[in-house]
Every structure is written in C-alpha cells, then in structure tokens.
Amino acid sequence: MKIHNYNQCATRLSRRDFLYLSGIGTVALLSGCAVHPVTGRRQLMLMSEDQEIRLDRENSPHQISADYGLVQDQALNDYISGVGRQIAGQSHRPDMPYSFNTLNASYVNAYAFPGGTIGLTRGILLDLENEAELASLIGHEVGHVSARHTAQRMTRGLLAAAVFSGAAVAAGPELQNVVAGLGGIGAGALLASYSRNQEREADELGLDYMAGSGYNPQGFVGLMEMLMDMSGRDKGHLAVLFATHPMSSERYQTALIRADAERALRDQPVYRERYMDNISGLRRIEEAIRQLQEGDDQMMDGNPVNARKNYDRALVIVPDDYAANLKQAKCLLALNQGREAEIHALAAREAYPDEPQAVHVLGMIHLNRNSFDQALTHFEAYNTQLPGNPNNVFFRGYCLEGMGRRDRAAGKYYAYLQHVSSGDYARHAHARLQEWGYI
Ligand SMILES: [Zn+2]
C-alpha cells in the first residue's frame, strides 16, 4: 500500500519540479512521500524535516538581521516567547525547534521559517490590542510551520531558488544602487507567499492552538478585524504582510464563523491589560515607530528627502535607537550625504554591537566614497559576525575589483554565482568573469 502511494506521489512529480529540484541540488528526491502532520494524509514532500530545519538555520539569521535584530528589551522578548511556547505546545509539531523573535523592524509583519523560527515586528505588536490577539497571530504562524507550508510550496516549485540563497526579499537590488552605496544586504527570506488555501489552513490551526491554550476566540476575531482593516490601505509598511499572507473577506468571514463556534471559551479574558503592560516599553515610543513607518513609506516611494524628516522626528524621541539610526544612515546615503550617514551608522553600531547590519552600511558608505579597502574591511567584519550571506560575498568581490585585485575578485564573483544566478549583482559578476577571461 505504501509503495502504491509512493508511486502515486512519484507520478505527480512534474518535469518542472524535477528540473527545479535538480537545479538547486540540495533537496534529495528521496524524501518522497511524507505523512502530513496535520491531516495525517500522505503527500508528496520533497523536503525532510531536517532539511526544513537546515534551511531555517541558514536563512533566518539573515532575515532577523535585516529586520534590525531582536528588540533590546529582555522582558519583552521573554513575554512574547512565553506566549509562543504555550501556543507551540498545542500544535501538531510541538517538538520543532521554535523560537519567537521580537524584531526591531517597524513595518507591520509576522513570519515563520520552516524550522520554527518566528518573527514579529515592533510594528505589528503595536497594532495588537490584547494577548488573545497575540496568541492568534502566533497561532497562525505556528500553523504555517505545523502544516509544512513552505516545504509544500518548495515541493511544488513555487519558490524561486534565489529565495533560498540569501537573496533580498525586497525589490531586486540595482547595481547603480551599489555604486550609490545603497545595495541591500538582503535577507535570506523563506518568506513564501502562501496560497489562499494555506492561509485558510493556518487560520484554522491558529484558532485551534490559541483556543487549545485557553484563550478567548474573540482574540482571533480581533486579529482578523485588524488585518481586514489594514488590507484596504495602500501603505509600504503593510505591503510585505499582505504579499506573503493574502487577506480576503472570505478569509475574514470564515474566521468569524469558526471563532463563533468556539463557544466554551467565550467568557475567558482576552488579557488586554497584561498585554499592554508587557509592551509598555514599545507603547512609550509608539510615536517614534509611527515616524519610522512613515519614513519607510517615503523611502519606498522614492522620497528620501521626506523620509529624512520622519527619521529626524523619530530620533528626537529615541536618539539611541539602533533601527532609527540605521534607517537614517541609509536615507542620508541615498541623499549622498556620506559624512552624516556615517555618524548615524556609527551610532547604530554603538547602540547594538551584536547586530552586524550597521557594519554593512558602514561598508556601503566607504564604497560610495570609492574607499574600496576600507569598505572591504567592513564587509569582512560583517562576514565574521554573520557568515553565509551571498550578497556579502558579492560586495567583497566588488571591493576587490575596485582595488584592482582581479584574481581575488573573480573568486568572490564565482562564489556568488554559485548561490545566485539572476539579478543585477549576478549579471555584473558574470560580465566581469567573462570580460576577464575566467569563463
Ligand atoms: Zn499566513
């Protein structure tokens, strides 16, 4: 019977899947059929649990760093982790190596990597109104992990190979931006765009897990209302959330009906005060976060002049904030004000020495001045602090090229192309290797 099922699965392996999988080379076809942890049904799954965990460990640190690292507020981190662990304990995969990370990023987002690394931004925490909503949001993300949604999408060839290799999650980096000193370090994002069916399933599981933890299902309704309300707004700082977790009135209605059926817990508290107490550090600087969001929207609209004003206003409130300083540094670099950019990048590095993105931006500031050797020193320091980012390999190659060290530059470009095959960086690397006669 098993063999029969396996064959059924195998025949569903399309030529496209096969080419895709052979292309990246790391995913063994041997994983084959797997029992789905939620439905108990067998399904084609070309990624084993070990591979999910490995992909997570290779990629999530880069995403977390691109999101300005964990908030420097241990009590807040502990609180979010505590709620997260409770929810994960109710899930279909309680033994995954979950971690619940409260991130300094100000855009509104929550995400899950396939091994259980979950991220929640300062932006989204400020929009939640109580702990039951928080539990629902975490439940939804744990739902994606439990139902193995990233592995499913990878199996179906719906994720580009570049996604798994440290390429940027945002709009593709432009080479002219490298020259302008703006190239992003990118994020090794497995931030898959889930399908509507997967969203529905994650909602269903999220509600089960939060209710299983004893929370009032009204929290789930509150979360859905918040998302429904936001999904109508065309704001850059909301875009990633809805690009990855599609919202719809159908999803909203389905959640309402399901939550309504959970009658037993309706008298449970939603823990509004407890939530507000625990995020009081964030609430105190809410105006600064809103200014950062507005500044990010302006940057995404191509208006660094306006963004600078927002970042300035944020910095009046939080002069030592790592993310605020680093965003301002990037904005000033876009305005070609390298000296002032450097002041903010140095302030950021001092504010959070464990987070390497400031070191990357310092490298970019030097690159912008054509100080290739100093830029290289920073990119090397970055790589020591957080190894494994292909974009960093490209930037080191770019510095070496600027220094006239062709052989070493070629080595870096070649290494970069082993990970990333499209985009402006790849085109640049390929063109140089050709020009120099290496390929
Ligand atoms: Zn989702």
Side-chain angles (χ1 to χ4, degrees), residues 211-249:
S213 306
Y215 285 103
N216 188 326
Q218 189 55 35
F220 206 86
V221 174
L223 174 68
M224 286 296 132
E225 280 171 353
M226 177 192 106
L227 293 174
M228 206 49 204
D229 179 48
M230 282 179 177
S231 66
R233 291 183 237 154
D234 181 23
K235 290 283 188 185
H237 70 271
L238 300 172
V240 177
L241 176 66
F242 293 114
T244 52
H245 300 273
M247 191 59 204
S248 63
S249 53

Side-chain angles (χ1 to χ4, degrees), residues 19 31 49 69 78 119 154 181 200 281 285 309 321 335 385:
L19 289 175
S31 311
E49 186 168 302
D78 290 347
M154 200 178 168
R200 210 176 295 117
I285 59 164
K309 294 174 194 157
D321 189 81
L335 291 166
Q385 227 175 324

Side-chain angles (χ1 to χ4, degrees), residues 215-323:
Y215 285 103
N216 188 326
Q218 189 55 35
F220 206 86
V221 174
L223 174 68
M224 286 296 132
E225 280 171 353
M226 177 192 106
L227 293 174
M228 206 49 204
D229 179 48
M230 282 179 177
S231 66
R233 291 183 237 154
D234 181 23
K235 290 283 188 185
H237 70 271
L238 300 172
V240 177
L241 176 66
F242 293 114
T244 52
H245 300 273
M247 191 59 204
S248 63
S249 53
E250 182 268 345
R251 185 182 156 196
Y252 173 63
Q253 295 300 338
T254 307
L256 289 193
I257 293 164
R258 286 220 181 91
D260 192 54
E262 298 276 349
R263 287 162 202 279
L265 294 161
R266 228 184 262 165
D267 296 327
Q268 283 295 107
V270 293
Y271 301 109
R272 181 182 166 82
E273 276 178 38
R274 191 158 84 188
Y275 182 73
M276 290 300 168
D277 282 352
N278 277 286
I279 68 154
S280 61
L282 284 186
R283 287 166 60 217
R284 269 197 298 278
I285 59 164
E286 173 159 6
E287 177 54 22
I289 307 284
R290 300 295 175 206
Q291 290 293 342
L292 294 177
Q293 289 176 339
E294 181 61 29
D296 293 353
D297 291 350
Q298 294 289 347
M299 284 297 282
M300 279 185 256
D301 288 344
N303 293 319
V305 173
N306 292 344
R308 181 186 186 169
K309 294 174 194 157
N310 293 115
Y311 296 148
D312 272 338
R313 285 183 210 123
L315 284 164
V316 170
I317 305 166
V318 288
D320 299 326
D321 189 81
Y322 171 74

Side-chain angles (χ1 to χ4, degrees), residues 110 140-141 144 149 194-195 198-199 202-203 241 244-246 251:
H140 176 97
E141 297 303 330
H144 282 308
H149 284 161
Y194 300 113
S195 69
Q198 290 179 327
E199 279 307 280
D203 283 343
L241 176 66
T244 52
H245 300 273
R251 185 182 156 196

